Structures are given as C-alpha cells and as structure tokens.
Amino acid sequence: MLQPNDLSRSLVALAQDSTIIAVVELSQSSWLVGGVLPGIERQPRKKLEPSPERLLAVLHRWRDEAIRAGCNITRIALAFEAGRDGFWLARWLAARGVEAHVIHPSSVAVSREHRRAKTDRLDTELLKRGFLGWLRGERGHCSMVRVPTLAEEDAKRPNRERECLVKERTRLVNRMKGALARLGIRNFRPTLRNAAEHLAGLYTPEGSPLPPNVAAELERDIARLGLVIGQIKQLEAARRQRLEEQPESRPHAMVRLLVRVVGIGTETADMLVNEVLSRPLRDRRAVARYAGLTGAPDESGAKRREQGLAKAGNARVRRGMIPLAWRFLRFQQNSALARWYQARTADRRAGTRKTMIVALARKLLIALWRFVTTGETLEGVVLRPAA
C-alpha cells in the first residue's frame, strides 16, 4: 500500500511528466509490454520472448526516446499480474532501478458483458488503466500484492512440501485399503513398519492368497509409502534443527512462542508464522482479511443477507484455523475466547456452533498475531513453560 509520502511523490512525478509507466502481460510463450511515455503521443507496445534482459532493454529504449523528446525521466514504474511466474521478475527489476509492482489479478475490474473479447492486447490496456489509477492514488482501480524476499518465499517451502507429502500418504493408504476391501480384507494397516511382511500372509475370506497382480501393486505402493513417510520425517527433523540452531531469529522466535500455547503444535505454529504472522500487516482487520475469515455481505435496498466467508485470502491459513479453533476449545476451556464462544452457543444448535466457530477462528488468529508481535497476553490461556 502506498504511504502518504510515497503517494505525494507519485503524484508529483506524474504531474511533472517524469515517469515512464509500463505494464507486462506475462505468458509462458511470450510477454507483451505496453507503456505510457511522457512527451510521446503514441502508447507503444512490444511483444517479446520471455526474457527479463529484453524487457529491461525495451524500458531503457523508451526512456531514451522520452529524453530525446525533452522530458527529464527520473522513474520507471512497471506492473504485472501475479501468476505462475511468482515474484522473481519484480525482485530482478527492482535490483536494476525499476519500480516494480505486482497486481492482484482479482482486484482488476472487468466488463460484465456475457461474452467479452479477451486478448493480450486488451488485457494490457486494462492493466494500464488500473495501474495509472493506482499511481494517482485513486482507490478501487486495483490492489498490489506485497513482493516477498527470496528468504521469505523459501521459508514457506518446507511446510507446503510436508502438506503435499501428507496428502500423498493419505492417498496411498486409502488406495491400498480400497484394493484390499474389494477382496474382503479389512484388517490390514499399510502404515506399519513391517507391512510388507504382513502382506505376504494375507488371505481372502475364500482362503486363497492375494492375486499376483494385486500383490505386486500393493508391494509397489508400500515402497512408495515408505519413501513418503521417510521424507516427512526428514522435513520434521530439519525443522527442529533449524529452530535449535537459530532460536533468536524473528520467525523462529515466533514459532517457539506459539508452541508454548497448549493446543498448538510445532507444525501449526510453523504454518501460521510463515504464512501470515510474520507478514507486516497493518491491523487486525488486515489479519482477518488475509486469512479469508471475513464475511461477504450482500446488501441492496431492503435486502440484507450474508453470503458466507469471503475466502479471498490465504487458503492454507483458513484451513488450519478452523481445526485449531475446535482444538482450542478442548485445551483452553477456561480462556476468555472459549467462554465467549460458550456464551454464544448456549442453545447447542449445530448452525450456531458452525457459524460461531468461524468467528472464534478469526478472533483467535488476531489474538495470536498480537501475542507474537506486540507481546499482548492471551487472557486465561494456559502456557507451557519456556524451553
């Protein structure tokens, strides 16, 4: 978000015709860059192969062209939509003196026609209008995504990799149990250390051994499952080692502080810190909005209704906070938040409990954010002794 000083500087720069404004439509096969040049009536467009060097050369060529037209260029501002390319291009351009911004794709207003034309050229013009409005400080044109550092992006990888591995472990276990259930076998546990040995002694209810193709398939699945379980253990061991080696670094200190709360484990604490709590969020509303735990009202005239959760934020945080809220009620029954929930669900209706658990998750996330950033105590919450 633009700070007041940044906004003033952007308005002055635009008024003095000292800024080159460019937007890039990124794709896997080509990039289309469009610009607005001071002193140049035409608005140039150039299609490039996906190359940051070529993009920077085009920007410098446009700068030289504007200088020859008599303008004093002091700033190059460029924007592109967030997508599969991530944030590396913004960091690369920023290191070379280009003011790079990343636009949130869903924040750009588009035509509501039933069937509208959509091309890279039209998308570039749409981005250009939104970016110009944002530079002028006008709200509603578009919103920008914060560009993380390479270290911040890298810190998220272990937790996300573990999430994928846990899903793969569940898929393999369900696959093997389903294959055996079709043969009438229901007492086999694929996660046992000696599951391969037990597999050889399985018999169907008819008394016959496993069919050869099914047995070979299950052996391969058990081998894959063992590899996945081993990788999960490696990730967890590496995380424990990082926490022990660098206990005073800001993210690790936050994790160690969260783990002291009874009911929060290391995995949940690591996810919350790296995904949301370590981000420079403005206030409690920004915290709840980033997690997608805010409502989506639909109000027009006499109509007043809620459409449910906005779900516009980080889905990993939202998926983690709902189970954490239920777990919090179990382990922190005497806390202020748990008493607040119990007072509002005294009717014991399932609909009320389901609605209020989302509200509890939102309040809990804000309380944890304050706990790790400002040190504000959690009223009535039981803490483990400091390690």
Side-chain angles (χ1 to χ4, degrees), residues 230-287:
Q231 290 179 343
I232 292 175
K233 292 180 179 178
Q234 289 176 6
L235 284 172
E236 294 173 347
R239 181 178 55 207
R240 287 194 299 269
Q241 184 178 357
R242 287 193 301 270
L243 291 175
E244 293 172 359
E245 290 178 351
Q246 300 175 344
E248 301 302 326
S249 66
R250 185 171 181 268
H252 293 170
M254 287 182 174
V255 173
R256 295 168 70 90
L257 190 59
L258 279 183
V259 170
R260 291 189 57 195
V261 179
V262 176
I264 298 181
T266 307
E267 182 63 33
T268 302
D270 186 67
M271 182 273 294
L272 289 177
V273 168
N274 289 313
E275 294 290 346
V276 60
L277 297 182
S278 61
R279 294 175 62 89
L281 296 171
R282 182 179 62 253
D283 53 21
R284 61 184 180 85
R285 290 185 177 87
V287 175

Side-chain angles (χ1 to χ4, degrees), residues 21 52 56 102 109 134 169 183 190 207 243-244 254 272 289 295 297 303 305 308 310 316 333 348 381:
I21 299 170
L56 188 62
V102 181
W134 184 84
R169 180 182 63 185
L183 299 175
L243 291 175
E244 293 172 359
M254 287 182 174
L272 289 177
R289 189 163 53 246
K303 181 174 67 173
R305 72 184 183 94
R316 288 182 176 84
Q333 297 180 5
R348 299 293 179 181
V381 171

Side-chain angles (χ1 to χ4, degrees), residues 92-348:
W92 190 89
L93 291 170
R96 287 154 180 81
V98 177
E99 182 183 323
H101 301 275
V102 181
I103 300 175
H104 198 297
S106 62
S107 69
V108 180
V110 298
S111 172
R112 299 177 63 183
E113 295 177 9
H114 179 65
R115 180 174 294 175
R116 64 182 182 90
K118 186 182 186 305
T119 64
D120 287 344
R121 180 183 60 83
L122 294 176
D123 288 346
T124 302
E125 295 300 319
L126 191 65
L127 290 179
K128 193 186 301 180
R129 288 195 296 272
F131 189 36
L132 281 168
W134 184 84
L135 287 173
R136 290 193 300 266
E138 301 175 8
R139 294 187 177 185
H141 284 278
C142 64
S143 60
M144 297 298 172
V145 181
R146 175 180 172 267
V147 178
T149 64
L150 189 59
E152 289 174 340
E153 280 197 300
D154 189 60
K156 298 178 182 180
R157 299 316 307 168
N159 185 272
R160 295 185 178 186
E161 182 185 1
R162 185 185 181 278
E163 181 182 359
C164 293
L165 290 174
V166 169
K167 290 180 180 179
E168 179 67 11
R169 180 182 63 185
T170 303
R171 188 189 69 83
L172 288 171
V173 170
N174 291 341
R175 171 186 167 90
M176 285 186 278
K177 286 185 176 181
L180 291 173
R182 285 191 292 271
L183 299 175
I185 301 173
R186 298 180 179 274
N187 57 353
F188 181 70
R189 297 178 60 188
T191 55
L192 292 177
R193 187 172 301 175
N194 54 354
E197 300 174 7
H198 290 176
L199 186 65
L202 289 180
Y203 289 89
T204 65
E206 293 91 347
S208 59
L210 294 179
N213 290 333
V214 174
E217 178 186 354
L218 292 175
E219 288 176 0
R220 290 188 290 270
D221 284 342
I222 289 176
R224 282 198 293 270
L225 180 61
L227 176 62
V228 170
I229 292 176
Q231 290 179 343
I232 292 175
K233 292 180 179 178
Q234 289 176 6
L235 284 172
E236 294 173 347
R239 181 178 55 207
R240 287 194 299 269
Q241 184 178 357
R242 287 193 301 270
L243 291 175
E244 293 172 359
E245 290 178 351
Q246 300 175 344
E248 301 302 326
S249 66
R250 185 171 181 268
H252 293 170
M254 287 182 174
V255 173
R256 295 168 70 90
L257 190 59
L258 279 183
V259 170
R260 291 189 57 195
V261 179
V262 176
I264 298 181
T266 307
E267 182 63 33
T268 302
D270 186 67
M271 182 273 294
L272 289 177
V273 168
N274 289 313
E275 294 290 346
V276 60
L277 297 182
S278 61
R279 294 175 62 89
L281 296 171
R282 182 179 62 253
D283 53 21
R284 61 184 180 85
R285 290 185 177 87
V287 175
R289 189 163 53 246
Y290 180 76
L293 292 171
T294 55
D298 182 11
E299 299 181 359
S300 178
K303 181 174 67 173
R304 298 288 189 275
R305 72 184 183 94
E306 276 288 341
Q307 302 176 101
L309 288 180
K311 296 185 179 181
N314 192 313
R316 288 182 176 84
V317 177
R318 186 169 60 255
R319 288 196 302 265
M321 283 307 302
I322 301 301
L324 178 59
W326 288 114
R327 198 160 64 244
F328 188 83
L329 291 175
R330 176 183 175 187
F331 289 98
Q332 303 286 352
Q333 297 180 5
N334 296 322
S335 64
L337 287 176
R339 293 196 302 268
W340 174 87
Y341 176 83
Q342 292 160 5
R344 282 158 178 78
T345 57
D347 57 3
R348 299 293 179 181

